[in-house]
Amino acid sequence: MRRRAADYRRPVRRRFSCWIWALLGLFSIAGFALFIVHHHHHEDRVEQPIPEKNARNERIAHEHLNFTEEILRANSYARQLAEQMTLAKAYVIIAKEHNNLRLAWELSSKIRSCQFLLSKAAMKEEPITLDEAEPIIKSLSSLIYKAQDAHYDIATTIMTMKSHIQALEERANAATVQSMVFGQLATEALPKNLHCISVKLMADWLKKKSLQELADEKRNSPRLVDNNLYHFCIFSDNLLAVSVVINSTVSNADHPKQLVFHIVTNGVNYGALQSWFLSNDFKGSTIEVQNIEDFTWLNASYSPVVKQLLGTDSWAYYFEGSQDMKIEPKFQNPKYLSLLNHLRFYIPEIYPQLEKVVFLDDDVVVQKDLTPLFSLDLHGNVNGAVETCLEAFHRYYKYLNFSNPIISSKFDPQACGWAFGMNVFDLIAWRKANVTARYHYWQEQNADRSLWKLGTLPPGLLAFYGLTEPLDRRWHVLGLGYDLNIDNRLIESAAVIHFNGNMKPWLKLAISRYKPLWVRYVNQSHPYLHDCVTS
């Protein structure tokens, strides 16, 4: 076949390409136009809310203005006002001292205006403007210049303020001491209802000969010296407190009839305690009440502490020195003059036939059976006690004077302290170690109160040093007479809770959170208790 000439082929191909390019061009123009229209429409939609959003952000920032940061900024009017107000207050005091009452009144007036403006700005959470601050700043500046011109210079201001600060510190210290004294007085005072009960019971003891005969009959009971039973001793003159200790102990004992309680009180309360415990039943337990005045062997020739308590120096320390600010009020508590407080060091002499006893303070409440204490292995030690050195301030150096070589040469200042209030005493080991003689030695060394101030714990730490077996902390939880934040779980798990401190549970100043733990063991059904409380 013969090919077509080139002149007839090329025009056809050129005509087809032009149409294609023309169509592509039209489509491109149309697409570009649509893109521009759509883009402008989208910009209109997006840009429309932007001013609103910016306004809202500004409003939120305005509403949440941190006024503390505002007043600390160097260029803040609030800061300038606060600084001028502080200086003006100082000049008010100085102006009054110089009897310039007119200036003091003018300064006080501007200070009130300044305080009003600052409080208004803080309430509204808005910064202070120049228009608001300028009049007050100018007027305060003028008054401060006027005060300075009246010779109230900065040196005078500083000296005056220092004297005022010193005076305020002295007043604060005096108020603190006075508060402690009042708290101590409240602790020492016997509530009227307790005094009322004691009076009624004492009257019964004197009138009812049958009670005295019953007491004589029980005095020789073989149970009082039976070492197969569980013996507890309590030394106190607080009838209701002792009753709660015994009632709580027998209420939580597995075998209350095997418990024997040995109480020692003073002559004033002896009849009342006898009358109470002879006329009430404590689940079959045995209760003995003794009068400390019958312990003729406990005299000044035998006991250094008796000699010290009878001395004029001790009485002068407690009563004549009651206004001495250097002596802490707690160390002037008359309980330290009571020999009942020191009887714990004479337990083997009081109960010569017993082998093991549990000592209980009168401000404890028993929550679990205590008879397992008697089977604890003390590993040859005399005293079983809960240690209190979980905090650093309950170590030996906090109780004793380690600047004295007698103390520092024999004791470790970091040795762990322990608590009186619930103690297991092995009386056989006690007699072997002659702990009472050790106690007498340290009391003689401390005749001038240079080794420790007062109390029974410091001499106890010395007498039982190296002879104390630490017990599980759950046996004895302390602090219910002063600590408001004891963990409830710790209280619930405790065998004995101790209201040591000034806020005793029988006082109105008791901590309300803990008081029900004590009140539940008060014999509310006794007619004397009801009559004395209601009257």
Side-chain angles (χ1 to χ4, degrees), residues 356-393:
K356 184 173 282 190
V357 300
V358 170
F359 167 76
L360 296 174
D361 259 337
D362 63 359
D363 54 354
V364 305
V365 171
V366 178
Q367 300 187 130
K368 299 185 186 303
D369 184 21
L370 296 186
T371 55
L373 285 170
F374 291 83
S375 58
L376 288 178
D377 186 3
L378 298 182
H379 300 97
N381 288 312
V382 177
N383 173 30
V386 170
E387 292 183 329
T388 56
C389 60
L390 296 176
E391 299 84 9
F393 54 86

Side-chain angles (χ1 to χ4, degrees), residues 28-29 34-35 49 97 123 213 237 239 267 319 343-344 382 437 443 476 498 504:
S28 298
I29 292 167
L34 287 172
F35 174 76
E97 286 186 348
M123 290 282 290
E213 292 171 359
D237 57 359
L239 183 149
F319 300 108
L343 277 187
R344 63 194 71 189
V382 177
Q443 283 289 356
H476 186 191
H498 196 166
K504 302 297 185 187

Side-chain angles (χ1 to χ4, degrees), residues 10 44 80 82 99 162 181 200 225 239 282 329 361 421 430 440 446 506 524:
R10 296 184 68 85
D44 290 339
Q80 295 178 45
N99 207 28
K162 278 185 176 179
V181 170
K200 287 179 176 288
V225 294
L239 183 149
F282 291 87
D361 259 337
W430 182 315
H440 284 171
N446 193 47
W506 54 83
Q524 305 283 359

Side-chain angles (χ1 to χ4, degrees), residues 260-291:
V260 181
F261 295 93
H262 304 269
I263 305 169
V264 180
T265 188
N266 55 25
V268 175
N269 295 278
Y270 174 74
L273 265 74
Q274 282 282 26
S275 181
W276 177 272
F277 288 107
L278 289 171
S279 58
N280 287 281
D281 178 65
F282 291 87
K283 295 190 175 182
S285 60
T286 302
I287 300 174
E288 174 194 33
V289 180
Q290 291 179 277
N291 186 352

